[in-house]
Amino acid sequence: GEAVPVAQRGSWTSFLKAIASMSGDLSSLTAPPFILSPVSLTEYPAYWCERPELFAAIADAKTSEERALAVLRWFISTLKGQYTTRNESVGSEKKPLNPALGELFYGCWPDKDGRGQTRLLTEQVSHHPPITAYVIENESKGVKLVGHNAQKTSFSTGSIIVKQIGHAVLTVKLPTGGEEQYLLTLPRLRIDGLWYGAPYIELTESSYIVGGGFVGVIEYKGKGYFSGKSHSFKATLTPRPGHGGSATKEIVVEGTWHQNSKFTSGGHGQFHDVSMPNEIVTATGGEAGGEMGSMETRKLWELVAKGIREGDFELAQREKSRIENEMRQRRKDEAASGVPWALKHFTPLANDSVYEELSKNTKIAPPTEDAYVFQENWPESLK
Ligand code: 0T9
């Protein structure tokens, strides 16, 4: 492929063959240096809040319909960051660092224009398979997102298909007291451009937002469908039977998630527009005095990231092996002592009652999923 450095063409071809012949978890495959990202997957949950004003605006909605639209607007507006950032900043999708069990990331978006501070906490709650749990909260506004993420990958006609496992629950405190909860499911990804060494993401199939009297279905299409454009979507909000309050009408918005969209039914004019710059999270240490502990992602991977950024792949490889060996030893010691690794911020549960309730009478499958319950133990630096 064009984008593959000559010296790495052989290893890129072997890597593609390895991907094609395995399915499930690609995270542990060794990839050639040119495709490595210096960023761990524990940092990716920050994409949920790079437009903090839209997250805060959910709390300011006056009616249940306005609120459902604010949730949808915030969700759609995160997609550009989630799925095009690496292409925009470094020219193609890259393979993230595979987080260690217990890896942590803390950060915040400061208060501005009265929107309040928003804080983020991420913990790698499983290594095999990789599962990342996170919480994002704007406490002053009473808006909170708790979720977890895993991926199942397969290979089909030259593309990597990524099924996202996991979900998120958004909780909004209402001005009248009480709260509303929304269940968010995640789209499927197709990674194309592999042959050329320039992978990029397209979203496919659909995802859901259910809560507050509405069921939202978001359908994703690439080039040659709906409007013919890449990154197209169509979102339909319909009243949720038995939970609708005053909701009776259907609302439809259509457009491209990395640009803008407009109402095509049940409303008028523009719906979302992400041409304004996003706000990158400010990383914060979780230890006393805002220091970063040894399990915090930017500390743990510091030298691997330096090696990747500076093209010193020997350093990157040596440090990566050191970390992986250390983790393997830790797991062995735990097995020998019978004391397993203790998560710091989340308690795993085998099912999620909020997910079960909100997914009822929808096409959301499976009927239940794991939950990772946040222990409400924010570090001092984020209180
Ligand atoms: C949750 C997001 C997720 C994580 C990444 C598939 C992927 C790992 C998961 C789904 C975020 O909210 C959104 C964005 C990008 C997703 C990643 C893209 C990607 O390629 C990786 C996988 C594991 C690979 O690294 C595949 C091999 C690589 C050569 C392709 C660049």
Side-chain angles (χ1 to χ4, degrees), residues 355-381:
Y355 174 100
E356 287 164 19
E357 178 56 32
L358 290 170
S359 64
K360 238 177 237 164
N361 304 319
T362 71
K363 288 181 180 157
I364 298 173
T368 195
E369 277 197 341
D370 298 347
Y372 291 88
V373 182
F374 179 48
Q375 292 166 13
E376 299 295 340
N377 51 349
W378 289 97
E380 277 312 314
S381 58

PDB file of all heavy atoms in Angstrom, residues 355-381:
ATOM      1  N   TYR A 355     -30.440  -0.968  32.065  1.00  0.00           N
ATOM      2  CA  TYR A 355     -30.384  -1.454  30.673  1.00  0.00           C
ATOM      3  C   TYR A 355     -31.600  -2.338  30.373  1.00  0.00           C
ATOM      4  O   TYR A 355     -32.259  -2.181  29.344  1.00  0.00           O
ATOM      5  CB  TYR A 355     -29.081  -2.235  30.479  1.00  0.00           C
ATOM      6  CG  TYR A 355     -28.942  -2.917  29.127  1.00  0.00           C
ATOM      7  CD1 TYR A 355     -28.175  -2.340  28.111  1.00  0.00           C
ATOM      8  CD2 TYR A 355     -29.555  -4.153  28.875  1.00  0.00           C
ATOM      9  CE1 TYR A 355     -28.041  -2.971  26.876  1.00  0.00           C
ATOM     10  CE2 TYR A 355     -29.426  -4.783  27.652  1.00  0.00           C
ATOM     11  CZ  TYR A 355     -28.668  -4.190  26.658  1.00  0.00           C
ATOM     12  OH  TYR A 355     -28.537  -4.820  25.444  1.00  0.00           O
ATOM     13  N   GLU A 356     -31.887  -3.257  31.287  1.00  0.00           N
ATOM     14  CA  GLU A 356     -33.005  -4.189  31.074  1.00  0.00           C
ATOM     15  C   GLU A 356     -34.321  -3.444  30.926  1.00  0.00           C
ATOM     16  O   GLU A 356     -35.098  -3.719  30.015  1.00  0.00           O
ATOM     17  CB  GLU A 356     -33.101  -5.176  32.246  1.00  0.00           C
ATOM     18  CG  GLU A 356     -31.996  -6.217  32.233  1.00  0.00           C
ATOM     19  CD  GLU A 356     -31.845  -6.949  33.569  1.00  0.00           C
ATOM     20  OE1 GLU A 356     -32.785  -6.941  34.397  1.00  0.00           O
ATOM     21  OE2 GLU A 356     -30.752  -7.518  33.788  1.00  0.00           O
ATOM     22  N   GLU A 357     -34.531  -2.486  31.813  1.00  0.00           N
ATOM     23  CA  GLU A 357     -35.783  -1.729  31.802  1.00  0.00           C
ATOM     24  C   GLU A 357     -35.920  -0.892  30.528  1.00  0.00           C
ATOM     25  O   GLU A 357     -36.945  -0.911  29.861  1.00  0.00           O
ATOM     26  CB  GLU A 357     -35.819  -0.826  33.059  1.00  0.00           C
ATOM     27  CG  GLU A 357     -37.032   0.069  33.183  1.00  0.00           C
ATOM     28  CD  GLU A 357     -38.348  -0.701  33.145  1.00  0.00           C
ATOM     29  OE1 GLU A 357     -38.384  -1.860  33.625  1.00  0.00           O
ATOM     30  OE2 GLU A 357     -39.336  -0.151  32.606  1.00  0.00           O
ATOM     31  N   LEU A 358     -34.860  -0.155  30.186  1.00  0.00           N
ATOM     32  CA  LEU A 358     -34.957   0.783  29.059  1.00  0.00           C
ATOM     33  C   LEU A 358     -34.909   0.085  27.691  1.00  0.00           C
ATOM     34  O   LEU A 358     -35.383   0.631  26.704  1.00  0.00           O
ATOM     35  CB  LEU A 358     -33.878   1.853  29.164  1.00  0.00           C
ATOM     36  CG  LEU A 358     -34.072   2.860  30.307  1.00  0.00           C
ATOM     37  CD1 LEU A 358     -32.842   3.732  30.489  1.00  0.00           C
ATOM     38  CD2 LEU A 358     -35.304   3.727  30.071  1.00  0.00           C
ATOM     39  N   SER A 359     -34.346  -1.113  27.643  1.00  0.00           N
ATOM     40  CA  SER A 359     -34.260  -1.795  26.340  1.00  0.00           C
ATOM     41  C   SER A 359     -35.511  -2.621  26.039  1.00  0.00           C
ATOM     42  O   SER A 359     -35.682  -3.121  24.927  1.00  0.00           O
ATOM     43  CB  SER A 359     -33.015  -2.697  26.297  1.00  0.00           C
ATOM     44  OG  SER A 359     -33.120  -3.722  27.255  1.00  0.00           O
ATOM     45  N   LYS A 360     -36.398  -2.737  27.048  1.00  0.00           N
ATOM     46  CA  LYS A 360     -37.638  -3.491  26.872  1.00  0.00           C
ATOM     47  C   LYS A 360     -38.452  -2.970  25.694  1.00  0.00           C
ATOM     48  O   LYS A 360     -38.528  -1.761  25.496  1.00  0.00           O
ATOM     49  CB  LYS A 360     -38.493  -3.353  28.153  1.00  0.00           C
ATOM     50  CG  LYS A 360     -38.839  -4.681  28.802  1.00  0.00           C
ATOM     51  CD  LYS A 360     -39.616  -4.477  30.085  1.00  0.00           C
ATOM     52  CE  LYS A 360     -38.909  -5.140  31.243  1.00  0.00           C
ATOM     53  NZ  LYS A 360     -39.415  -4.662  32.530  1.00  0.00           N
ATOM     54  N   ASN A 361     -39.058  -3.872  24.918  1.00  0.00           N
ATOM     55  CA  ASN A 361     -39.895  -3.489  23.771  1.00  0.00           C
ATOM     56  C   ASN A 361     -39.160  -2.653  22.723  1.00  0.00           C
ATOM     57  O   ASN A 361     -39.745  -1.826  22.046  1.00  0.00           O
ATOM     58  CB  ASN A 361     -41.147  -2.713  24.223  1.00  0.00           C
ATOM     59  CG  ASN A 361     -41.954  -3.494  25.229  1.00  0.00           C
ATOM     60  OD1 ASN A 361     -42.127  -4.712  25.084  1.00  0.00           O
ATOM     61  ND2 ASN A 361     -42.426  -2.832  26.257  1.00  0.00           N
ATOM     62  N   THR A 362     -37.841  -2.822  22.640  1.00  0.00           N
ATOM     63  CA  THR A 362     -37.078  -2.198  21.549  1.00  0.00           C
ATOM     64  C   THR A 362     -36.333  -3.322  20.839  1.00  0.00           C
ATOM     65  O   THR A 362     -36.414  -4.476  21.255  1.00  0.00           O
ATOM     66  CB  THR A 362     -36.026  -1.198  22.072  1.00  0.00           C
ATOM     67  OG1 THR A 362     -34.972  -1.932  22.712  1.00  0.00           O
ATOM     68  CG2 THR A 362     -36.623  -0.198  23.044  1.00  0.00           C
ATOM     69  N   LYS A 363     -35.591  -2.949  19.791  1.00  0.00           N
ATOM     70  CA  LYS A 363     -34.805  -3.967  19.092  1.00  0.00           C
ATOM     71  C   LYS A 363     -33.417  -4.136  19.699  1.00  0.00           C
ATOM     72  O   LYS A 363     -32.548  -4.799  19.120  1.00  0.00           O
ATOM     73  CB  LYS A 363     -34.696  -3.603  17.614  1.00  0.00           C
ATOM     74  CG  LYS A 363     -36.014  -3.798  16.884  1.00  0.00           C
ATOM     75  CD  LYS A 363     -35.894  -3.461  15.413  1.00  0.00           C
ATOM     76  CE  LYS A 363     -37.223  -3.667  14.713  1.00  0.00           C
ATOM     77  NZ  LYS A 363     -37.314  -2.864  13.491  1.00  0.00           N
ATOM     78  N   ILE A 364     -33.181  -3.516  20.850  1.00  0.00           N
ATOM     79  CA  ILE A 364     -31.861  -3.609  21.475  1.00  0.00           C
ATOM     80  C   ILE A 364     -31.623  -5.030  21.990  1.00  0.00           C
ATOM     81  O   ILE A 364     -32.463  -5.601  22.672  1.00  0.00           O
ATOM     82  CB  ILE A 364     -31.728  -2.605  22.631  1.00  0.00           C
ATOM     83  CG1 ILE A 364     -31.874  -1.173  22.110  1.00  0.00           C
ATOM     84  CG2 ILE A 364     -30.400  -2.775  23.357  1.00  0.00           C
ATOM     85  CD1 ILE A 364     -31.918  -0.109  23.182  1.00  0.00           C
ATOM     86  N   ALA A 365     -30.481  -5.601  21.625  1.00  0.00           N
ATOM     87  CA  ALA A 365     -30.098  -6.937  22.091  1.00  0.00           C
ATOM     88  C   ALA A 365     -28.681  -6.843  22.640  1.00  0.00           C
ATOM     89  O   ALA A 365     -27.938  -5.939  22.252  1.00  0.00           O
ATOM     90  CB  ALA A 365     -30.147  -7.912  20.918  1.00  0.00           C
ATOM     91  N   PRO A 366     -28.275  -7.755  23.517  1.00  0.00           N
ATOM     92  CA  PRO A 366     -29.027  -8.804  24.207  1.00  0.00           C
ATOM     93  C   PRO A 366     -29.946  -8.219  25.292  1.00  0.00           C
ATOM     94  O   PRO A 366     -29.885  -7.015  25.542  1.00  0.00           O
ATOM     95  CB  PRO A 366     -27.911  -9.641  24.835  1.00  0.00           C
ATOM     96  CG  PRO A 366     -26.804  -8.669  25.072  1.00  0.00           C
ATOM     97  CD  PRO A 366     -26.878  -7.690  23.942  1.00  0.00           C
ATOM     98  N   PRO A 367     -30.770  -9.079  25.949  1.00  0.00           N
ATOM     99  CA  PRO A 367     -31.704  -8.571  26.961  1.00  0.00           C
ATOM    100  C   PRO A 367     -31.033  -7.971  28.203  1.00  0.00           C
ATOM    101  O   PRO A 367     -31.613  -7.117  28.870  1.00  0.00           O
ATOM    102  CB  PRO A 367     -32.546  -9.794  27.338  1.00  0.00           C
ATOM    103  CG  PRO A 367     -31.836 -10.971  26.772  1.00  0.00           C
ATOM    104  CD  PRO A 367     -30.982 -10.503  25.650  1.00  0.00           C
ATOM    105  N   THR A 368     -29.818  -8.426  28.518  1.00  0.00           N
ATOM    106  CA  THR A 368     -29.097  -7.751  29.606  1.00  0.00           C
ATOM    107  C   THR A 368     -27.620  -7.667  29.258  1.00  0.00           C
ATOM    108  O   THR A 368     -27.157  -8.322  28.315  1.00  0.00           O
ATOM    109  CB  THR A 368     -29.298  -8.439  30.981  1.00  0.00           C
ATOM    110  OG1 THR A 368     -28.864  -7.529  32.011  1.00  0.00           O
ATOM    111  CG2 THR A 368     -28.503  -9.739  31.092  1.00  0.00           C
ATOM    112  N   GLU A 369     -26.882  -6.821  29.983  1.00  0.00           N
ATOM    113  CA  GLU A 369     -25.433  -6.689  29.807  1.00  0.00           C
ATOM    114  C   GLU A 369     -24.811  -6.500  31.178  1.00  0.00           C
ATOM    115  O   GLU A 369     -25.510  -6.218  32.144  1.00  0.00           O
ATOM    116  CB  GLU A 369     -25.112  -5.481  28.915  1.00  0.00           C
ATOM    117  CG  GLU A 369     -25.217  -5.770  27.431  1.00  0.00           C
ATOM    118  CD  GLU A 369     -24.517  -4.719  26.569  1.00  0.00           C
ATOM    119  OE1 GLU A 369     -24.265  -3.602  27.051  1.00  0.00           O
ATOM    120  OE2 GLU A 369     -24.234  -5.043  25.398  1.00  0.00           O
ATOM    121  N   ASP A 370     -23.486  -6.623  31.247  1.00  0.00           N
ATOM    122  CA  ASP A 370     -22.778  -6.321  32.489  1.00  0.00           C
ATOM    123  C   ASP A 370     -22.993  -4.865  32.866  1.00  0.00           C
ATOM    124  O   ASP A 370     -23.250  -4.031  32.009  1.00  0.00           O
ATOM    125  CB  ASP A 370     -21.254  -6.476  32.302  1.00  0.00           C
ATOM    126  CG  ASP A 370     -20.850  -7.890  31.947  1.00  0.00           C
ATOM    127  OD1 ASP A 370     -21.688  -8.795  32.079  1.00  0.00           O
ATOM    128  OD2 ASP A 370     -19.685  -8.058  31.540  1.00  0.00           O
ATOM    129  N   ALA A 371     -22.835  -4.590  34.140  1.00  0.00           N
ATOM    130  CA  ALA A 371     -22.808  -3.201  34.594  1.00  0.00           C
ATOM    131  C   ALA A 371     -21.519  -3.003  35.375  1.00  0.00           C
ATOM    132  O   ALA A 371     -21.022  -3.941  36.011  1.00  0.00           O
ATOM    133  CB  ALA A 371     -24.006  -2.914  35.476  1.00  0.00           C
ATOM    134  N   TYR A 372     -20.949  -1.826  35.304  1.00  0.00           N
ATOM    135  CA  TYR A 372     -19.822  -1.447  36.164  1.00  0.00           C
ATOM    136  C   TYR A 372     -20.297  -0.250  36.960  1.00  0.00           C
ATOM    137  O   TYR A 372     -20.490   0.831  36.421  1.00  0.00           O
ATOM    138  CB  TYR A 372     -18.568  -1.152  35.333  1.00  0.00           C
ATOM    139  CG  TYR A 372     -18.032  -2.425  34.711  1.00  0.00           C
ATOM    140  CD1 TYR A 372     -18.491  -2.863  33.472  1.00  0.00           C
ATOM    141  CD2 TYR A 372     -17.146  -3.233  35.414  1.00  0.00           C
ATOM    142  CE1 TYR A 372     -18.059  -4.063  32.926  1.00  0.00           C
ATOM    143  CE2 TYR A 372     -16.711  -4.437  34.884  1.00  0.00           C
ATOM    144  CZ  TYR A 372     -17.167  -4.839  33.639  1.00  0.00           C
ATOM    145  OH  TYR A 372     -16.745  -6.036  33.123  1.00  0.00           O
ATOM    146  N   VAL A 373     -20.547  -0.489  38.253  1.00  0.00           N
ATOM    147  CA  VAL A 373     -21.147   0.537  39.099  1.00  0.00           C
ATOM    148  C   VAL A 373     -20.048   1.423  39.682  1.00  0.00           C
ATOM    149  O   VAL A 373     -19.126   0.927  40.342  1.00  0.00           O
ATOM    150  CB  VAL A 373     -21.963  -0.122  40.242  1.00  0.00           C
ATOM    151  CG1 VAL A 373     -22.626   0.939  41.108  1.00  0.00           C
ATOM    152  CG2 VAL A 373     -22.998  -1.088  39.668  1.00  0.00           C
ATOM    153  N   PHE A 374     -20.140   2.703  39.427  1.00  0.00           N
ATOM    154  CA  PHE A 374     -19.131   3.649  39.920  1.00  0.00           C
ATOM    155  C   PHE A 374     -19.236   3.791  41.438  1.00  0.00           C
ATOM    156  O   PHE A 374     -20.329   3.939  41.979  1.00  0.00           O
ATOM    157  CB  PHE A 374     -19.322   5.017  39.243  1.00  0.00           C
ATOM    158  CG  PHE A 374     -18.353   6.054  39.711  1.00  0.00           C
ATOM    159  CD1 PHE A 374     -16.990   5.781  39.790  1.00  0.00           C
ATOM    160  CD2 PHE A 374     -18.804   7.327  40.068  1.00  0.00           C
ATOM    161  CE1 PHE A 374     -16.093   6.749  40.221  1.00  0.00           C
ATOM    162  CE2 PHE A 374     -17.906   8.291  40.493  1.00  0.00           C
ATOM    163  CZ  PHE A 374     -16.553   8.001  40.572  1.00  0.00           C
ATOM    164  N   GLN A 375     -18.094   3.728  42.124  1.00  0.00           N
ATOM    165  CA  GLN A 375     -18.085   3.789  43.589  1.00  0.00           C
ATOM    166  C   GLN A 375     -18.098   5.206  44.153  1.00  0.00           C
ATOM    167  O   GLN A 375     -17.942   5.400  45.364  1.00  0.00           O
ATOM    168  CB  GLN A 375     -16.869   3.002  44.119  1.00  0.00           C
ATOM    169  CG  GLN A 375     -17.003   1.507  43.880  1.00  0.00           C
ATOM    170  CD  GLN A 375     -15.698   0.753  44.074  1.00  0.00           C
ATOM    171  OE1 GLN A 375     -14.721   1.288  44.612  1.00  0.00           O
ATOM    172  NE2 GLN A 375     -15.660  -0.487  43.619  1.00  0.00           N
ATOM    173  N   GLU A 376     -18.271   6.196  43.280  1.00  0.00           N
ATOM    174  CA  GLU A 376     -18.364   7.612  43.703  1.00  0.00           C
ATOM    175  C   GLU A 376     -17.115   8.084  44.449  1.00  0.00           C
ATOM    176  O   GLU A 376     -17.187   8.992  45.257  1.00  0.00           O
ATOM    177  CB  GLU A 376     -19.608   7.851  44.578  1.00  0.00           C
ATOM    178  CG  GLU A 376     -20.933   7.563  43.881  1.00  0.00           C
ATOM    179  CD  GLU A 376     -21.242   8.498  42.705  1.00  0.00           C
ATOM    180  OE1 GLU A 376     -20.655   9.604  42.623  1.00  0.00           O
ATOM    181  OE2 GLU A 376     -22.048   8.098  41.845  1.00  0.00           O
ATOM    182  N   ASN A 377     -15.977   7.469  44.162  1.00  0.00           N
ATOM    183  CA  ASN A 377     -14.734   7.875  44.821  1.00  0.00           C
ATOM    184  C   ASN A 377     -13.837   8.671  43.871  1.00  0.00           C
ATOM    185  O   ASN A 377     -12.810   8.184  43.414  1.00  0.00           O
ATOM    186  CB  ASN A 377     -14.005   6.660  45.405  1.00  0.00           C
ATOM    187  CG  ASN A 377     -13.827   5.531  44.393  1.00  0.00           C
ATOM    188  OD1 ASN A 377     -14.407   5.547  43.304  1.00  0.00           O
ATOM    189  ND2 ASN A 377     -13.026   4.548  44.741  1.00  0.00           N
ATOM    190  N   TRP A 378     -14.241   9.885  43.574  1.00  0.00           N
ATOM    191  CA  TRP A 378     -13.414  10.777  42.750  1.00  0.00           C
ATOM    192  C   TRP A 378     -12.124  11.102  43.505  1.00  0.00           C
ATOM    193  O   TRP A 378     -12.153  11.258  44.724  1.00  0.00           O
ATOM    194  CB  TRP A 378     -14.161  12.087  42.475  1.00  0.00           C
ATOM    195  CG  TRP A 378     -15.316  11.938  41.536  1.00  0.00           C
ATOM    196  CD1 TRP A 378     -16.632  11.789  41.882  1.00  0.00           C
ATOM    197  CD2 TRP A 378     -15.264  11.908  40.103  1.00  0.00           C
ATOM    198  NE1 TRP A 378     -17.397  11.665  40.746  1.00  0.00           N
ATOM    199  CE2 TRP A 378     -16.590  11.746  39.650  1.00  0.00           C
ATOM    200  CE3 TRP A 378     -14.237  12.009  39.170  1.00  0.00           C
ATOM    201  CZ2 TRP A 378     -16.917  11.674  38.288  1.00  0.00           C
ATOM    202  CZ3 TRP A 378     -14.555  11.946  37.818  1.00  0.00           C
ATOM    203  CH2 TRP A 378     -15.881  11.784  37.390  1.00  0.00           C
ATOM    204  N   PRO A 379     -11.012  11.225  42.809  1.00  0.00           N
ATOM    205  CA  PRO A 379      -9.795  11.644  43.501  1.00  0.00           C
ATOM    206  C   PRO A 379      -9.917  13.104  43.951  1.00  0.00           C
ATOM    207  O   PRO A 379     -10.702  13.862  43.377  1.00  0.00           O
ATOM    208  CB  PRO A 379      -8.708  11.481  42.431  1.00  0.00           C
ATOM    209  CG  PRO A 379      -9.416  11.515  41.124  1.00  0.00           C
ATOM    210  CD  PRO A 379     -10.797  10.979  41.374  1.00  0.00           C
ATOM    211  N   GLU A 380      -9.134  13.472  44.961  1.00  0.00           N
ATOM    212  CA  GLU A 380      -9.150  14.840  45.508  1.00  0.00           C
ATOM    213  C   GLU A 380      -9.081  15.896  44.408  1.00  0.00           C
ATOM    214  O   GLU A 380      -9.797  16.898  44.452  1.00  0.00           O
ATOM    215  CB  GLU A 380      -7.955  15.051  46.460  1.00  0.00           C
ATOM    216  CG  GLU A 380      -8.177  14.549  47.876  1.00  0.00           C
ATOM    217  CD  GLU A 380      -9.498  14.985  48.507  1.00  0.00           C
ATOM    218  OE1 GLU A 380      -9.852  16.188  48.397  1.00  0.00           O
ATOM    219  OE2 GLU A 380     -10.190  14.127  49.097  1.00  0.00           O
ATOM    220  N   SER A 381      -8.202  15.655  43.430  1.00  0.00           N
ATOM    221  CA  SER A 381      -7.971  16.659  42.377  1.00  0.00           C
ATOM    222  C   SER A 381      -9.204  16.925  41.522  1.00  0.00           C
ATOM    223  O   SER A 381      -9.236  17.902  40.778  1.00  0.00           O
ATOM    224  CB  SER A 381      -6.815  16.204  41.485  1.00  0.00           C
ATOM    225  OG  SER A 381      -7.108  14.937  40.926  1.00  0.00           O
TER     226      SER A 381
END
